[in-house]
Amino acid sequence: MVELSDSLCLPVVGDLKPELSKHVDTRVKILELQADQTLFLEGDEADFMFSVISGRLKVFRKSEGKNVYVRDLGPGESGGITSIFLTKPRSATVTASEKTTIATLSKEDLDTAMEKHPALARGLLKILSRQVRSGGRSMAHLLKDTNDGRVQVA
């Protein structure tokens, strides 16, 4: 059994007031995944967000019928937030690369907590902003300038 601390479950919880942290922590569910076990598939319904407690997850997206590696997620990193906010299917497949423990929070519990505690929404916005910034840096590595001012994939 995994012990939960005030800031262990979801990165955003550590930035919250103690009463909100307790509200969120009581709704968090812990999942243990074995190596190569899939958390969800691209296209699945987005009904929870997650945060890695221990281990590593691999993120893949379909491109031309093949799974293309996107990135790893390790302890303290979160996922699944964008699909919940946009009410869209999962945009990627997530699989454990080793034995991994994650904390999950359902869409319903997240919505309720954000209605009662707007600070939670601000915390999630920080996480999303970091992910967008990180994605932009990753894209920059894939692109190269041409002599005529155009940009092409490296």
Side-chain angles (χ1 to χ4, degrees):
M1 184 71 175
V2 176
E3 295 275 332
L4 301 180
S5 72
D6 286 340
S7 62
L8 178 64
C9 299
L10 302 168
V12 70
V13 172
D15 297 334
L16 302 178
K17 295 178 183 174
E19 66 272 12
L20 175 55
S21 179
K22 288 177 188 170
H23 176 85
V24 172
D25 274 348
T26 60
R27 286 156 178 79
V28 167
K29 291 186 174 72
I30 302 300
L31 290 177
E32 293 205 359
L33 303 170
Q34 299 304 312
D36 298 320
Q37 186 176 352
T38 299
L39 178 59
F40 52 75
L41 298 170
E42 184 174 344
D44 282 356
E45 177 187 359
D47 53 357
F48 66 91
M49 63 171 287
F50 66 90
S51 182
V52 180
I53 296 172
S54 65
R56 297 205 71 74
L57 298 172
K58 292 184 279 189
V59 180
F60 296 93
R61 287 184 124 167
K62 287 267 188 216
S63 178
E64 298 178 5
K66 296 180 183 176
N67 279 331
V68 177
Y69 170 81
V70 176
R71 65 178 292 210
D72 277 354
L73 294 172
E77 294 184 287
S78 296
I81 303 168
T82 306
S83 293
I84 285 178
F85 281 142
L86 297 176
T87 318
K88 298 284 185 185
R90 299 288 186 187
S91 61
T93 294
V94 175
T95 303
S97 54
E98 60 190 59
K99 185 175 179 180
T100 302
T101 303
I102 62 168
T104 67
L105 185 63
S106 74
K107 179 184 182 340
E108 181 179 289
D109 286 337
L110 179 61
D111 288 344
T112 300
M114 285 191 306
E115 285 175 19
K116 292 181 181 178
H117 306 281
L120 178 59
R122 286 192 297 277
L124 291 171
L125 185 57
K126 286 180 185 178
I127 292 171
L128 289 170
S129 296
R130 282 193 294 267
Q131 289 175 349
V132 167
R133 179 173 277 186
S134 174
R137 284 191 203 117
S138 297
M139 287 298 296
H141 292 292
L142 297 174
L143 303 175
K144 67 177 184 176
D145 290 320
T146 62
N147 289 335
D148 61 3
R150 295 179 295 140
V151 176
Q152 66 183 28
V153 176

